Coordinates of all heavy atoms in Angstrom, one line a residue:
G1 N 105.6 -12.9 62.3 CA 105.5 -11.7 63.0 C 106.8 -11.2 63.6 O 107.6 -12.0 64.0
T2 N 107.0 -9.9 63.6 CA 108.2 -9.3 64.1 C 108.4 -9.6 65.6 O 109.5 -9.9 66.0 CB 108.2 -7.8 63.9 OG1 108.0 -7.5 62.5 CG2 109.5 -7.1 64.4
G3 N 107.3 -9.6 66.4 CA 107.4 -9.9 67.8 C 107.8 -11.3 68.0 O 108.6 -11.6 68.9
N4 N 107.3 -12.3 67.2 CA 107.7 -13.7 67.4 C 109.1 -13.9 67.0 O 109.9 -14.6 67.7 CB 106.8 -14.5 66.5 CG 106.9 -16.0 66.8 OD1 107.0 -16.4 68.0 ND2 106.9 -16.8 65.8
I5 N 109.6 -13.2 65.9 CA 111.0 -13.4 65.5 C 111.9 -12.8 66.6 O 112.9 -13.4 67.0 CB 111.3 -12.7 64.2 CG1 110.6 -13.4 63.1 CG2 112.7 -12.5 63.9 CD1 110.7 -12.8 61.7
T6 N 111.5 -11.7 67.2 CA 112.3 -11.1 68.3 C 112.4 -12.0 69.5 O 113.5 -12.2 70.1 CB 111.8 -9.7 68.7 OG1 111.7 -8.9 67.5 CG2 112.6 -9.0 69.7
K7 N 111.3 -12.6 69.8 CA 111.2 -13.5 71.0 C 112.1 -14.7 70.8 O 112.9 -15.1 71.6 CB 109.8 -13.9 71.2 CG 109.6 -14.8 72.4 CD 108.1 -15.2 72.6 CE 107.9 -16.2 73.8 NZ 106.5 -16.6 74.0
L8 N 112.0 -15.3 69.6 CA 112.9 -16.4 69.2 C 114.4 -16.0 69.2 O 115.2 -16.8 69.6 CB 112.5 -17.0 67.9 CG 111.2 -17.8 67.9 CD1 110.7 -18.1 66.5 CD2 111.4 -19.2 68.6
A9 N 114.6 -14.8 68.7 CA 116.0 -14.3 68.7 C 116.6 -14.2 70.1 O 117.7 -14.6 70.3 CB 116.1 -13.0 68.0
L10 N 115.8 -13.7 71.0 CA 116.2 -13.7 72.4 C 116.4 -15.1 73.0 O 117.4 -15.3 73.8 CB 115.2 -12.9 73.3 CG 115.1 -11.4 73.1 CD1 114.0 -10.8 73.8 CD2 116.5 -10.7 73.5
G11 N 115.5 -16.0 72.7 CA 115.6 -17.3 73.1 C 116.9 -18.0 72.6 O 117.6 -18.7 73.3
A12 N 117.3 -17.7 71.4 CA 118.5 -18.2 70.8 C 119.7 -17.7 71.5 O 120.7 -18.5 71.6 CB 118.5 -17.8 69.3
V13 N 119.7 -16.5 72.0 CA 120.8 -16.0 72.7 C 121.1 -16.8 74.0 O 122.2 -17.1 74.3 CB 120.6 -14.5 73.1 CG1 121.7 -14.0 74.1 CG2 120.5 -13.6 71.9
G14 N 120.0 -17.3 74.6 CA 120.2 -18.2 75.8 C 120.6 -19.6 75.5 O 121.1 -20.2 76.4
V15 N 120.5 -20.1 74.3 CA 120.8 -21.5 74.1 C 121.9 -21.7 73.1 O 122.8 -22.5 73.3 CB 119.5 -22.2 73.5 CG1 119.8 -23.6 73.1 CG2 118.4 -22.2 74.6
V16 N 121.9 -21.0 72.0 CA 122.8 -21.3 70.8 C 124.2 -20.7 71.0 O 125.1 -21.3 70.6 CB 122.1 -20.7 69.5 CG1 123.0 -21.0 68.3 CG2 120.7 -21.3 69.3
F17 N 124.2 -19.5 71.6 CA 125.5 -18.7 71.5 C 126.4 -18.9 72.8 O 127.3 -18.1 72.9 CB 125.2 -17.3 71.3 CG 124.5 -17.0 70.0 CD1 123.1 -16.8 69.9 CD2 125.2 -17.0 68.8 CE1 122.4 -16.6 68.7 CE2 124.5 -16.8 67.6 CZ 123.1 -16.6 67.5
G18 N 126.1 -19.8 73.6 CA 126.9 -20.0 74.8 C 128.3 -20.3 74.6 O 129.2 -19.8 75.2
D19 N 128.5 -21.3 73.7 CA 129.9 -21.7 73.4 C 130.8 -20.6 72.8 O 131.8 -20.3 73.3 CB 129.8 -22.9 72.4 CG 131.2 -23.6 72.3 OD1 132.1 -23.2 72.9 OD2 131.2 -24.7 71.6
I20 N 130.3 -20.0 71.8 CA 131.1 -18.9 71.2 C 131.1 -17.7 72.1 O 132.1 -16.9 72.1 CB 130.5 -18.5 69.8 CG1 131.5 -17.7 69.0 CG2 129.2 -17.8 69.9 CD1 131.2 -17.5 67.5
G21 N 130.1 -17.5 72.9 CA 130.0 -16.4 73.8 C 131.0 -16.4 75.0 O 131.4 -15.4 75.5
T22 N 131.4 -17.6 75.4 CA 132.3 -17.7 76.5 C 133.8 -17.8 76.0 O 134.7 -17.8 76.8 CB 132.0 -19.0 77.3 OG1 132.0 -20.2 76.4 CG2 130.7 -18.9 78.0
S23 N 134.0 -17.7 74.7 CA 135.3 -17.7 74.1 C 136.2 -16.5 74.6 O 137.4 -16.7 74.7 CB 135.3 -17.8 72.6 OG 134.7 -19.0 72.2
P24 N 135.6 -15.3 74.8 CA 136.5 -14.2 75.2 C 137.2 -14.5 76.6 O 138.2 -13.8 76.9 CB 135.5 -13.1 75.4 CG 134.4 -13.4 74.4 CD 134.3 -14.9 74.5
L25 N 136.7 -15.5 77.3 CA 137.4 -15.8 78.6 C 138.8 -16.3 78.4 O 139.7 -16.1 79.3 CB 136.6 -16.8 79.4 CG 135.5 -16.3 80.3 CD1 134.3 -15.8 79.5 CD2 135.0 -17.4 81.2
Y26 N 139.1 -16.9 77.2 CA 140.4 -17.6 77.1 C 141.0 -17.4 75.7 O 142.2 -17.6 75.5 CB 140.3 -19.1 77.4 CG 139.1 -19.8 76.7 CD1 139.2 -20.2 75.4 CD2 137.9 -20.0 77.4 CE1 138.1 -20.8 74.8 CE2 136.9 -20.7 76.8 CZ 137.0 -21.0 75.5 OH 135.9 -21.7 74.9
A27 N 140.2 -17.1 74.6 CA 140.7 -17.0 73.3 C 141.9 -16.0 73.1 O 142.9 -16.4 72.5 CB 139.6 -16.8 72.3
F28 N 141.6 -14.8 73.5 CA 142.6 -13.7 73.3 C 143.9 -14.0 74.1 O 145.0 -13.9 73.6 CB 142.1 -12.4 73.7 CG 143.0 -11.2 73.4 CD1 143.2 -10.7 72.1 CD2 143.6 -10.6 74.4 CE1 144.0 -9.6 71.8 CE2 144.5 -9.5 74.2 CZ 144.7 -9.0 72.9
R29 N 143.7 -14.5 75.3 CA 144.8 -14.8 76.2 C 145.7 -15.9 75.7 O 146.9 -15.8 75.7 CB 144.2 -15.3 77.6 CG 145.3 -15.7 78.6 CD 144.6 -16.5 79.7 NE 144.1 -17.8 79.3 CZ 143.2 -18.5 80.0 NH1 142.7 -18.0 81.2 NH2 142.9 -19.7 79.6
E30 N 145.0 -17.0 75.1 CA 145.8 -18.1 74.7 C 146.7 -17.8 73.5 O 147.7 -18.5 73.3 CB 144.8 -19.3 74.3 CG 144.2 -20.0 75.5 CD 145.3 -20.5 76.5 OE1 146.2 -21.2 76.0 OE2 145.2 -20.1 77.7
T31 N 146.4 -16.8 72.7 CA 147.3 -16.5 71.6 C 148.6 -15.9 72.1 O 149.7 -16.0 71.4 CB 146.7 -15.5 70.6 OG1 146.3 -14.3 71.4 CG2 145.5 -16.1 69.9
F32 N 148.6 -15.4 73.3 CA 149.9 -14.8 73.9 C 150.6 -15.7 74.9 O 151.8 -15.6 75.0 CB 149.5 -13.4 74.5 CG 149.2 -12.4 73.4 CD1 147.9 -12.2 73.0 CD2 150.2 -11.6 72.8 CE1 147.6 -11.3 72.0 CE2 149.9 -10.7 71.8 CZ 148.6 -10.5 71.4
V33 N 149.8 -16.4 75.7 CA 150.4 -17.2 76.7 C 150.3 -18.7 76.6 O 150.6 -19.5 77.5 CB 149.9 -16.8 78.1 CG1 150.1 -15.3 78.4 CG2 148.4 -17.1 78.2
G34 N 149.8 -19.1 75.4 CA 149.6 -20.5 75.1 C 150.9 -21.3 74.8 O 152.0 -20.8 75.2
P35 N 150.8 -22.4 74.1 CA 152.0 -23.2 73.8 C 153.0 -22.4 73.0 O 154.2 -22.7 73.0 CB 151.4 -24.4 73.0 CG 150.0 -24.4 73.3 CD 149.6 -23.0 73.6
H36 N 152.6 -21.4 72.2 CA 153.5 -20.7 71.3 C 153.3 -19.2 71.6 O 152.7 -18.5 70.9 CB 153.2 -21.0 69.8 CG 153.2 -22.4 69.5 ND1 154.3 -23.2 69.5 CD2 152.2 -23.3 69.2 CE1 154.0 -24.5 69.2 NE2 152.7 -24.5 69.0
P37 N 153.9 -18.7 72.7 CA 153.6 -17.3 73.2 C 154.1 -16.3 72.2 O 155.1 -16.5 71.5 CB 154.3 -17.3 74.5 CG 155.3 -18.4 74.5 CD 154.8 -19.4 73.7
L38 N 153.4 -15.2 72.2 CA 153.8 -14.0 71.3 C 154.3 -12.9 72.2 O 153.9 -12.8 73.4 CB 152.6 -13.6 70.5 CG 151.9 -14.6 69.6 CD1 150.6 -13.9 69.0 CD2 152.9 -14.9 68.4
A39 N 155.1 -12.1 71.6 CA 155.5 -10.8 72.3 C 154.3 -9.9 72.5 O 153.5 -9.8 71.6 CB 156.6 -10.1 71.5
I40 N 154.1 -9.3 73.6 CA 153.0 -8.4 73.9 C 153.4 -7.0 73.5 O 153.8 -6.2 74.3 CB 152.6 -8.5 75.4 CG1 152.3 -10.0 75.8 CG2 151.4 -7.7 75.7 CD1 152.1 -10.1 77.3
D41 N 153.2 -6.8 72.2 CA 153.5 -5.4 71.6 C 152.4 -5.1 70.6 O 151.5 -5.8 70.3 CB 154.9 -5.4 71.0 CG 155.0 -6.5 69.9 OD1 154.0 -6.9 69.3 OD2 156.2 -6.9 69.7
E42 N 152.5 -3.9 70.1 CA 151.4 -3.4 69.2 C 151.3 -4.2 68.0 O 150.1 -4.5 67.6 CB 151.8 -1.9 68.8 CG 150.7 -1.2 68.0 CD 151.0 0.2 67.7 OE1 151.3 0.9 68.7 OE2 150.8 0.7 66.6
L43 N 152.3 -4.6 67.4 CA 152.3 -5.5 66.2 C 151.4 -6.7 66.4 O 150.5 -7.0 65.6 CB 153.7 -5.8 65.7 CG 153.7 -6.9 64.6 CD1 153.3 -6.3 63.3 CD2 155.1 -7.5 64.4

C-alpha cells in the first residue's frame, strides 16, 4: 500500500539517515580548515 510505504519512509528518516544527515555540520568545513586547508576562493 502507498500509505504503508509512505509511513515506513517517514520512519526511516528518523532512524536510518541520522549519520549522513548530520554530516553538513562538519563535512564542508573540514575540506577547508582540516589537516590540509584549501584556499577559500571560487575554484
Side-chain angles (χ1 to χ4, degrees):
T2 303
N4 193 37
I5 289 177
T6 304
K7 183 179 178 181
L8 284 165
L10 286 172
V13 172
V15 174
V16 179
F17 299 100
D19 193 355
I20 196 169
T22 53
S23 295
L25 273 70
Y26 48 81
F28 186 74
R29 176 194 72 196
E30 285 305 307
T31 55
F32 289 91
V33 300
H36 309 288
L38 299 174
I40 304 174
D41 56 27
E42 184 175 313
L43 170 72

